[in-house]
Amino acid sequence: MDIKKVVVIGAGTMGSGIAQWFTQQMCSVELVDNSQEQLLKSLQSIHLSWDKLLEKNKLSLEKITEMKRSLFIKSLDEVSKDADLVIEAIIENLDVKKDLFKKLDNHFSSQTILSSNTSSFPIELMATAVSSERKKRFVGLHFFNPATIMKLVEVIKAKDSDERLCQDLYQWFESNDKKPALCKDSPGFIVNRVARNFYGEPLRIVDSDDEFKMKEIDHILREVGGFKMGPFELMDLIGIDVNYSVTCSVWEAYKREPRFAPHALQKQMVEEKRFGRKVKRGFYKYD
Ligand code: NAI
């Protein structure tokens, strides 16, 4: 499999990181968002991150110049119809995603692979928006935050996804220094199912907006448990809104099993727009 031309839809936390990572693999990348402001912000922050790598001598000037020339921001109508791979990383809303996939199915060549970075929706449900031919070339590709650093990519085979295509994608990621995992199309796939309790139990222990207790739990899991980040720090990084919507959809998919239930504090924070690091206010403040 050769992936040279990639389109990433959604230039938020994940889309930006995914676009940056693919450009670093020397792919030509077109980044799309329905907010022009977000697109410019994303391009700027990717360039800034490369400039920092240059300062630290981690990448050469030639490579950075080449990468800057290979990353484009575009509107959906302008993107190349013959892309090898499209990755959708827009908001976690099933109807909005299905609407988008319908458009993508019409826009791209029959050979283009369509994929979703959804955290929780069944790939099969999104694939209902595309033609039966395209369903074979429709998969889940679930990256982790930050996508440039986290090695894991869950490659999700839906009911109609071509088995060989999933294996080829697995190998392509492996040869590009990621650690892929082939997953069933089940709620939360592997990580987001296991991780529900990493967030849910600490929320139930704290049970209130108590920063002192949160710090204590983060400290214990980080320093004693050996995790890179504590649960509250990680939820702030993921985005409280994103994490809440994943929690709700996994909980619904498992017929509201109590162990997956969202905590009232998550809902309250979403209502208060305390979305985490991206707005500088979540469980903690970031100034
Ligand atoms: P985000 O809220 O940071 O970014 C979403 C972007 O999509 C925004 O820039 C928004 O303007 C854009 N957008 C919304 N509707 C659009 C449309 N119809 N067409 C084009 N652009 C549109 O969200 P984030 O965190 O990047 O999440 C994106 C996806 O990745 C979600 O499905 C989420 O579940 C998944 N995900 C998130 C992770 C995280 O840690 N935040 C980790 C892995 C997956």
Side-chain angles (χ1 to χ4, degrees):
M1 169 175 281
D2 208 8
I3 299 177
K4 290 260 174 264
K5 206 182 267 189
V6 177
V7 173
V8 180
I9 324 254
T13 312
M14 290 309 293
S16 296
I18 293 168
Q20 178 171 351
W21 182 79
F22 273 98
T23 318
Q24 290 173 190
Q25 310 317 302
M26 303 326 276
C27 296
S28 162
V29 177
E30 296 167 74
L31 182 58
V32 177
D33 199 286
N34 60 4
S35 152
Q36 184 65 16
E37 190 191 337
Q38 184 61 33
L39 264 184
L40 291 170
K41 200 170 136 196
S42 166
L43 186 71
Q44 257 176 5
S45 85
I46 297 173
H47 280 203
L48 189 71
S49 145
W50 285 334
D51 292 341
K52 282 189 185 152
L53 291 174
L54 177 65
E55 267 170 35
K56 292 181 189 159
N57 280 327
K58 293 212 167 147
L59 286 175
S60 68
L61 179 61
E62 291 72 31
K63 183 155 183 194
I64 286 178
T65 312
E66 170 87 26
M67 290 191 306
K68 286 186 179 172
R69 277 202 208 112
S70 307
L71 175 63
F72 308 90
I73 53 171
K74 292 198 173 169
S75 72
L76 189 52
D77 299 335
E78 291 168 342
V79 291
S80 310
K81 291 180 189 291
D82 62 346
D84 300 309
L85 173 66
V86 178
I87 298 155
E88 167 276 312
I90 66 166
I91 47 163
E92 190 76 345
N93 176 306
L94 187 58
D95 291 334
V96 181
K97 284 188 194 279
K98 279 169 74 177
D99 259 9
L100 175 69
F101 277 116
K102 207 170 177 181
K103 286 184 201 143
L104 300 182
D105 191 23
N106 291 328
H107 182 90
F108 289 101
S109 117
S110 60
Q111 283 311 296
T112 303
I113 304 163
L114 297 190
S115 72
S116 174
N117 183 50
T118 180
S119 301
S120 60
F121 294 131
I123 305 303
E124 196 181 325
L125 271 189
M126 281 176 282
T128 56
V130 303
S131 66
S132 46
E133 258 320 285
R134 179 80 67 185
K135 283 190 173 81
K136 296 179 194 154
R137 300 184 77 72
F138 193 113
V139 296
L141 289 179
H142 187 219
F143 293 78
F144 291 81
N145 188 6
T148 47
I149 293 170
M150 299 296 281
K151 297 259 185 209
L152 180 63
V153 181
E154 291 176 326
V155 178
I156 301 127
K157 183 192 170 309
K159 184 166 68 74
D160 299 313
S161 324
D162 185 294
E163 176 103 44
R164 181 66 204 270
L165 176 80
C166 294
Q167 277 160 12
D168 287 348
L169 281 164
Y170 180 99
Q171 275 163 14
W172 187 87
F173 281 114
E174 205 170 37
S175 62
N176 282 276
D177 205 27
K178 286 282 190 203
K179 294 256 181 277
L182 275 179
C183 301
K184 279 196 299 192
D185 193 11
S186 61
F189 316 120
I190 300 173
V191 172
N192 266 324
R193 177 170 172 184
V194 174
R196 292 304 12 110
N197 292 322
F198 185 69
Y199 312 120
E201 286 307 320
L203 277 161
R204 283 185 274 271
I205 293 169
V206 169
D207 209 32
S208 63
D209 210 351
D210 183 335
E211 198 175 324
F212 179 77
K213 282 192 194 162
M214 288 170 192
K215 273 199 174 134
E216 199 171 31
I217 290 177
D218 276 342
H219 174 80
I220 291 168
L221 283 171
R222 200 173 355 87
E223 303 305 326
V224 186
F227 287 89
K228 271 252 160 44
M229 297 177 89
F232 297 100
E233 294 162 331
L234 184 53
M235 283 186 272
D236 271 359
L237 178 75
I238 291 168
I240 307 301
D241 50 337
V242 174
N243 196 36
Y244 176 61
S245 106
V246 175
T247 309
C248 291
S249 94
V250 172
W251 181 50
E252 292 296 346
Y254 283 104
K255 306 203 170 12
R256 300 195 164 201
E257 267 189 48
R259 66 190 165 123
F260 292 126
H263 192 278
L265 185 54
Q266 289 174 289
K267 183 165 187 267
Q268 180 194 322
M269 289 172 72
V270 171
E271 283 164 1
E272 291 168 1
K273 300 202 185 318
R274 279 165 61 194
F275 295 152
R277 270 179 187 268
K278 59 187 167 189
V279 295
K280 298 194 172 10
R281 276 191 75 229
F283 292 109
Y284 303 117
K285 290 193 185 80
Y286 305 86
D287 293 314

